[in-house]
Amino acid sequence: MTTPAERYAAFRQSQAESGPALTSFRGLYDFELDDFQIDACRALEAGDGVLVAAPTGSGKTVVGEFAVHLALAEGRKCFYTTPIKALSNQKYNDLVRRYGATKVGLLTGDNSVNGEAPIVVMTTEVLRNMLYAGSGTLTGLGFVVMDEVHYLADRFRGAVWEEVIIHLPESVRLVALSATVSNAEEFGEWMGEVRGDTSVIVDEHRPVPLWQHMLVGNRIYDLFVTGDEDRRPQINPNLLRIARDEERQAYGRGRRGYPRPRRNGPPDRAAAIERLDADALLPAITFIFSRAGCDAAVMQCLHDGIRLTTDAERHEIRQIVDERTAHLPDEDLAVLGYLEWRDALERGLAAHHAGMLPAFKEVVEELFTRGLVKAVFATETLALGINMPARSVVIEKLDKWNGETHADLTPGEYTQLTGRAGRRGIDVEGHAVVQWQPGTDPLQVAGLASTRTYPLRSSFRPSYNMAVNLVGQVGRERARTLLESSFAQFQADRAVVGIAKQVRRAEEALEGYRQAMTCHLGDFEEYAAMRRALSDREAELSRQRGAARRTQALRSLEALKPGDIIRIPGGRRAGLAVVLDPGLNSRGEGPSPLVLTIGKQVKKLSPADFPVPVEPVERLRIPKNFNARSPKERANLVSSVHAKIGDRDFGKPVRARDHAAEDEEITRLRREIRRHPCHGCDEREDHARWAERYHKLLRETEGLRRRVEGRSHVIARTFDKVCGVLDQLGYLDGESVTTEGRRLAQLYTELDLLTAECLRAGLWNDLDPAELAACVSSLVFESRQADDARQPRIPAGGAQQTLADMVRLWSELESIESDHGLSFIREPDFGFAWAAFRWARGHTLDSVLRDGAGGAELAAGDFVRWMKQLLDLLGQISNAAPAGSKVKQNASKAMDALRRGVVAYSSLA
């Protein structure tokens, strides 16, 4: 332990090494900064960009806040970007509390507040759009903070992060804040190449230690215990014993043959909360990978009468809930199950998932952060971004439905979920609890808990909107060069380096093999090629003859009838046999005749027993009531076979003929091989062995070269294909962006090209605002169940025909993409069209949710989320449509009609 004097001396030295901005910044906090935070702030003050990779809850955002502090001190702007609107709103409110509303702005798809302020919080997409549009708001920009930068691995939105990093002006210092990733150094090296000097700060230390547990029945066990000998952590032997006992129970049976009852099944959710409460492990977040499961967990706890709050807390909760929901109409609150939801909150219980109304989710987050709600049942979306730490995290199952199958949790996902456990400054330690399920393997849990591999993988690819924006700004060749600097290409090049090394080593070995097979009599490489050609031809001929023989044999088996006496050509069953049943089946597996052998055995044969066609040598009548199980009747039938055959000798079984001798190509090759000078070499076979090794390695090397070619310039090649489509459709004209191309440049959506084509074709010209909303919804909505066969309801009239025309247009674009080797555009999804149409026509929330999407009832949270995305795209269409056009006017009218009730709600304080 250091003395107080030594600690004070270290503090003074640390202060002396800090610049003036960092010194004043440290005074804003009532706690001492960690070493990694100080290192990152010093690098930033020294003029470097920084990448900070550290666990959830470690305080990475302090570095982002220092960038804000530096910007204000230097009289420059700072943009603080986040991946989700809720996180932007949360950060905006934090910064307003510190710097005041006049100095802080907010720009998201929903809100535009004080956009020219020196500090602006925004979603990453907003900044990307600014960069492409050359917005004047960028003037004076000195710093950009990219919170949750590991989102660039997201396959739907990740490209936006790379676009921003690549296109930001060189003068802007970048602060990238990431969760702990195993390739942070690689990511930092790429940032250094793209952005200039970048300091990589990696901190794997959790500020609050995390303890791992398993909940078995109603008892909590430590996952790891300290070993007696080496004091190293080991898996708890009690858990291993429980797993063995369960396995024995699964295979064994109790008395009287009944299965033994399970003793270690998963506890009901209410019992789990009571156990956590008894062990002082609340507040807790229980991750249940199902919305319905989260809601059911709350109902189970209510039904069991669980109450986790005091009278004073219940009063405070009701006050906050009523205040935060005062803006919502009473009739909507009834539809949303408001009273049941509030009752659960007053008991300290809540669900949290994407199907909930955003206003409800935000109330849950606020109450949980204040310590008023003690148990939250959440889907994994809670682990992304929102600052909502707990003392404990419970994981109900170690697998989840990923849209296609039930997949095991990865170590990265496990780390992200359990990262919520342990509140800095409140908890001495955090706790991760995995609930025991039938078949749980403690080794698997230990592997998840002790593995920290979470590599960042780029999901970047050029889009149509990106292409027209880049070509318009810098030209096609410069655009190719910019895209080559993406993290995706950087990672591909890294992989290529390793493969290229393999190619170089293989080429050196090939040269050695070539030397070893050199023959003094002639060109042995030529001779080896002839031998190889002969071998290949013989193999090909063998395959062809084999296939033909198998076909003939199958046909002959299909022609067999009961009573046919046949010869089985070889194998253990070789000899005469009489067919009892031809064994024809409809499963396409070929006949499987049932026969009685001359040895009086009943056997089922297969096509494999007949390498050559079979022909009956004789026939006899099988008695009508013949019983194959009777030894006496089998003996009588075999006697009948002997009597029918007599002492005839059928000779040897027919063998498959060797047709190689009849093939002209084989005859020619054999003749040329015998004539070649190397054929007479005494060391011919030794040379041939080296030649075979040479040829095998050459094949492998050519495969490696193809892999190198496939990964080199992959992003630029995709960009060229995208430009090819745009050239064909008239959005680009060589190095120029056409008028239609400039319209496409304003459409930032997954189906950007289809949206632009709908505008150009005038498909929406004759629609009213509600019909337009219905049709445009098909460009943003995606059904949660991709294989949902239910036919969605769509509005009659103009919208119905227009949606059909949109599908036809999509089909044409898909064909053009296919010609260019691309597949970017998905089919429009009509699942939300009826809901969008009715909401725009003024129907109540109750009726719209009940009628639902894609034939299923619609969750309030999903409804609001799709509406926000629809509003965003309608706004883009309004901006991109020609001035004074009917589509432009109706897009604005549709937005006005949609922006009401729960959709109009803004979460800003």
Side-chain angles (χ1 to χ4, degrees):
M1 288 288 291
T2 58
T3 65
E6 287 172 332
R7 289 198 297 272
Y8 179 71
F11 169 74
R12 290 299 302 268
Q13 183 179 353
S14 173
Q15 290 280 19
E17 291 171 357
S18 302
L22 180 53
T23 302
S24 62
F25 177 70
R26 291 166 83 162
L28 298 174
Y29 296 89
D30 55 6
F31 57 85
E32 186 56 35
L33 301 188
D34 290 339
D35 289 344
F36 86 91
Q37 295 167 328
I38 293 171
D39 290 343
C41 291
R42 281 176 181 159
L44 201 55
E45 190 169 11
D48 286 359
V50 293
L51 166 65
V52 182
T56 300
S58 59
K60 295 185 293 288
T61 54
V62 166
V63 183
E65 288 163 7
F66 180 62
V68 171
H69 184 81
L70 264 182
L72 292 174
E74 296 175 8
R76 304 173 77 187
K77 288 183 179 179
C78 178
F79 289 171
Y80 199 112
T81 73
T82 72
I84 50 180
K85 294 170 186 175
L87 198 53
S88 291
N89 296 340
Q90 193 177 66
K91 200 69 207 175
Y92 168 76
N93 289 324
D94 291 345
L95 292 172
V96 165
R97 278 193 291 271
R98 173 172 289 178
Y99 297 109
T102 58
K103 289 186 177 178
V104 185
L106 176 69
L107 295 174
T108 67
D110 299 340
N111 297 294
S112 178
V113 179
N114 200 15
E116 296 301 321
I119 309 165
V120 184
V121 183
M122 61 185 69
T123 50
T124 315
E125 280 86 352
V126 169
L127 178 54
R128 186 272 312 270
N129 299 354
M130 276 187 187
L131 289 166
Y132 282 149
S135 170
T137 306
L138 296 167
T139 305
L141 181 62
F143 298 85
V144 166
V145 180
M146 299 190 80
D147 204 354
E148 310 282 346
V149 75
H150 50 271
Y151 255 76
L152 68 76
D154 184 272
R155 67 191 182 99
F156 298 110
R157 299 172 57 210
V160 177
W161 275 256
E162 288 190 53
E163 288 178 85
V164 169
I165 293 170
I166 292 169
H167 301 316
L168 273 175
E170 289 182 17
S171 59
V172 175
R173 269 177 274 176
L174 185 63
V175 180
L177 308 177
S178 170
T180 307
V181 292
S182 54
N183 61 336
E185 288 77 10
E186 178 191 37
F187 184 52
E189 188 179 337
W190 169 70
M191 282 183 58
E193 286 192 9
V194 176
R195 304 290 319 155
D197 292 339
T198 301
S199 295
V200 179
I201 312 292
V202 177
D203 182 62
E204 297 188 3
H205 170 71
R206 280 182 56 99
V208 180
L210 180 66
W211 292 89
Q212 308 279 349
H213 311 279
M214 293 201 73
L215 176 60
V216 185
N218 199 33
R219 183 175 173 185
I220 294 178
Y221 292 86
D222 290 337
L223 177 58
F224 298 106
V225 295
T226 305
D228 293 333
E229 296 178 8
D230 55 7
R231 310 297 294 170
R232 292 173 63 184
Q234 299 174 352
I235 299 174
N236 191 330
N238 289 321
L239 293 173
L240 296 173
R241 176 183 51 76
I242 291 167
R244 286 194 300 271
D245 289 348
E246 185 182 77
E247 191 174 353
R248 278 197 293 268
Q249 281 184 358
Y251 290 106
R253 303 183 77 81
R255 284 179 297 177
R256 300 184 182 177
Y258 292 106
R260 293 192 181 100
R262 291 195 180 277
R263 290 181 299 167
N264 300 317
D268 67 64
R269 288 150 176 166
I273 294 301
E274 288 178 327
R275 178 75 264 170
L276 294 171
D277 190 24
D279 288 357
L281 295 180
L282 296 180
I285 300 170
T286 300
F287 285 108
I288 301 172
F289 304 119
S290 150
R291 297 177 180 184
C294 293
D295 294 334
V298 174
M299 296 310 295
Q300 287 166 17
C301 291
L302 289 176
H303 183 266
D304 281 23
I306 288 182
R307 190 181 292 278
L308 304 171
T309 53
T310 65
D311 289 340
E313 287 173 331
R314 283 194 289 279
H315 176 74
E316 188 178 353
I317 289 168
R318 176 167 291 213
Q319 197 172 9
I320 292 171
V321 170
D322 290 345
E323 185 181 316
R324 299 288 183 269
T325 57
H327 65 283
L328 296 172
D330 290 342
E331 61 271 20
D332 288 353
L333 289 177
V335 174
L336 298 167
Y338 171 76
L339 293 177
E340 296 88 342
W341 171 70
R342 189 179 67 180
D343 181 37
L345 290 175
E346 289 179 6
R347 292 168 179 260
L349 303 162
H352 188 289
H353 55 73
M356 291 171 62
L357 194 70
F360 283 18
K361 279 200 301 180
E362 287 158 15
V363 170
V364 171
E365 291 158 11
E366 181 180 351
L367 294 176
F368 191 79
T369 305
R370 291 190 181 200
L372 296 170
V373 164
K374 313 298 172 69
V376 167
F377 300 93
T379 56
E380 69 271 26
T381 53
L382 181 78
L384 305 175
I386 293 296
N387 181 26
M388 196 170 152
R391 176 169 296 165
S392 304
V393 161
V394 181
I395 299 178
E396 191 170 82
K397 289 185 179 179
L398 292 176
D399 65 347
K400 63 174 184 174
W401 179 256
N402 63 9
E404 297 174 357
T405 183
H406 283 280
D408 290 339
L409 282 184
T410 65
E413 289 168 333
Y414 183 88
T415 301
Q416 196 167 35
L417 295 172
T418 57
R420 294 276 164 207
R423 297 164 296 174
R424 189 169 190 177
I426 302 174
D427 298 321
V428 177
E429 55 196 26
H431 300 269
V433 182
V434 175
Q435 285 195 5
W436 188 279
Q437 301 286 341
T440 296
D441 181 2
L443 293 171
Q444 180 195 6
V445 182
L448 288 171
S450 56
T451 306
R452 291 291 177 266
T453 52
Y454 178 47
L456 201 54
R457 294 279 174 257
S458 172
S459 59
F460 182 83
R461 71 175 188 186
S463 67
Y464 296 111
N465 169 276
M466 188 192 303
V468 290
N469 273 300
L470 284 176
V471 172
Q473 285 187 352
V474 298
R476 192 172 291 196
E477 198 53 44
R478 172 74 178 136
R480 283 179 102 256
T481 306
L482 277 172
L483 294 177
E484 290 264 65
S485 65
S486 67
F487 187 45
Q489 190 59 57
F490 182 84
Q491 288 190 312
D493 289 344
R494 275 291 180 85
V496 163
V497 168
I499 300 171
K501 281 183 181 175
Q502 288 179 259
V503 171
R504 283 196 297 274
R505 283 197 296 269
E507 287 171 344
E508 291 169 6
L510 284 170
E511 186 54 38
Y513 292 171
R514 190 183 285 110
Q515 295 289 336
M517 71 178 179
T518 302
C519 180
H520 66 288
L521 295 178
D523 184 350
F524 201 89
E525 203 170 331
E526 178 185 67
Y527 177 71
M530 291 163 61
R531 285 176 56 140
R532 202 160 49 250
L534 174 62
S535 177
D536 291 345
R537 178 60 182 165
E538 287 174 339
E540 181 189 2
L541 207 60
S542 176
R543 282 193 299 273
Q544 290 175 357
R545 301 296 185 195
R549 280 197 303 272
R550 283 192 296 276
T551 302
Q552 291 170 2
L554 281 173
R555 286 176 183 161
S556 70
L557 288 172
E558 288 167 355
L560 292 178
K561 294 180 173 55
D564 283 344
I565 301 172
I566 60 173
R567 293 179 70 193
I568 303 170
R572 289 182 293 112
R573 298 161 185 165
L576 292 173
V578 60
V579 177
L580 302 177
D581 182 348
L584 301 177
N585 64 66
S586 58
R587 296 197 299 269
E589 298 170 359
S592 301
L594 185 71
V595 301
L596 175 65
T597 69
I598 209 76
K600 305 175 188 175
Q601 292 181 311
V602 175
K603 296 289 182 184
K604 179 165 279 208
L605 305 178
S606 74
D609 292 310
F610 297 92
V612 293
V614 61
E615 290 184 15
V617 296
E618 192 57 83
R619 279 186 55 78
L620 58 76
R621 190 181 67 81
I622 297 175
K624 186 175 182 182
N625 297 319
F626 174 75
N627 182 3
R629 293 183 177 181
S630 166
K632 183 178 179 181
E633 293 192 31
R634 290 202 304 268
N636 289 340
L637 191 58
V638 168
S639 296
S640 300
V641 171
H642 282 300
K644 195 82 173 174
I645 296 299
D647 55 359
R648 273 184 281 175
D649 181 10
F650 295 103
K652 292 183 179 181
V654 178
R655 293 177 62 98
R657 293 174 56 194
D658 180 12
H659 295 274
E662 303 170 10
D663 185 73
E664 293 180 6
E665 178 68 8
I666 286 179
T667 304
R668 182 186 66 78
L669 285 168
R670 285 173 175 168
R671 186 170 58 246
E672 290 184 4
I673 286 170
R674 285 193 295 269
R675 288 176 181 171
H676 198 282
C678 293
H679 193 64
C681 179
D682 294 339
E683 300 178 15
R684 181 184 69 197
E685 293 311 310
D686 191 35
H687 294 328
R689 280 191 291 274
W690 284 108
E692 185 57 36
R693 291 175 193 166
Y694 175 86
H695 179 66
K696 183 181 178 185
L697 184 58
L698 183 64
R699 279 201 314 268
E700 292 172 359
T701 306
E702 286 169 351
L704 290 172
R705 288 195 186 109
R706 283 193 295 272
R707 286 175 63 190
V708 169
E709 290 166 7
R711 297 189 184 195
S712 299
H713 310 292
V714 63
I715 301 297
R717 286 205 306 273
T718 305
F719 174 71
D720 291 339
K721 293 174 183 178
V722 167
C723 288
V725 172
L726 295 173
D727 280 329
Q728 181 176 337
L729 292 172
Y731 290 93
L732 290 178
D733 183 9
E735 290 291 314
S736 303
V737 178
T738 64
T739 303
E740 297 297 336
R742 285 191 288 276
R743 180 169 296 135
L744 173 58
Q746 299 176 67
L747 298 170
Y748 300 96
T749 178
E750 181 193 3
L751 296 181
D752 46 11
L753 186 59
L754 181 55
T755 307
E757 283 290 284
C758 288
L759 277 171
R760 179 159 70 173
L763 295 188
W764 301 328
N765 289 354
D766 298 327
L767 300 177
D768 66 31
E771 291 172 333
L772 179 62
C775 292
V776 173
S777 76
S778 69
L779 302 176
V780 296
F781 180 76
E782 284 188 84
S783 301
R784 291 186 71 205
Q785 303 295 333
D787 58 348
D788 198 335
R790 285 174 294 197
Q791 189 67 31
R793 187 173 179 182
I794 55 178
Q800 191 170 25
Q801 181 57 49
T802 301
L803 287 168
D805 291 341
M806 288 170 68
V807 171
R808 176 186 49 76
L809 193 53
W810 161 76
S811 181
E812 292 170 6
L813 290 177
E814 187 184 42
S815 177
I816 293 171
E817 277 194 329
S818 179
D819 292 342
H820 288 268
L822 295 173
S823 181
F824 284 1
I825 302 178
R826 65 166 176 83
E827 185 176 357
D829 190 326
F830 302 161
F832 196 64
W834 182 242
F837 176 78
R838 297 190 74 229
W839 187 253
R841 283 282 169 91
H843 287 259
T844 64
L845 180 66
D846 181 25
S847 64
V848 171
L849 295 184
R850 268 193 288 104
D851 280 359
E857 191 168 328
L858 194 58
D862 291 332
F863 171 72
V864 172
R865 186 172 68 258
W866 292 121
M867 275 295 171
K868 298 279 188 183
Q869 292 189 30
L870 174 56
L871 282 164
D872 185 47
L873 184 53
L874 283 168
Q876 294 179 34
I877 289 169
S878 177
N879 292 334
S885 66
K886 193 174 178 184
V887 170
K888 191 179 191 76
Q889 295 168 11
N890 283 340
S892 295
K893 290 178 181 177
M895 291 170 70
D896 292 338
L898 296 174
R899 200 181 279 119
R900 64 184 178 88
V902 293
V903 177
Y905 166 72
S906 169
S907 63
L908 289 186

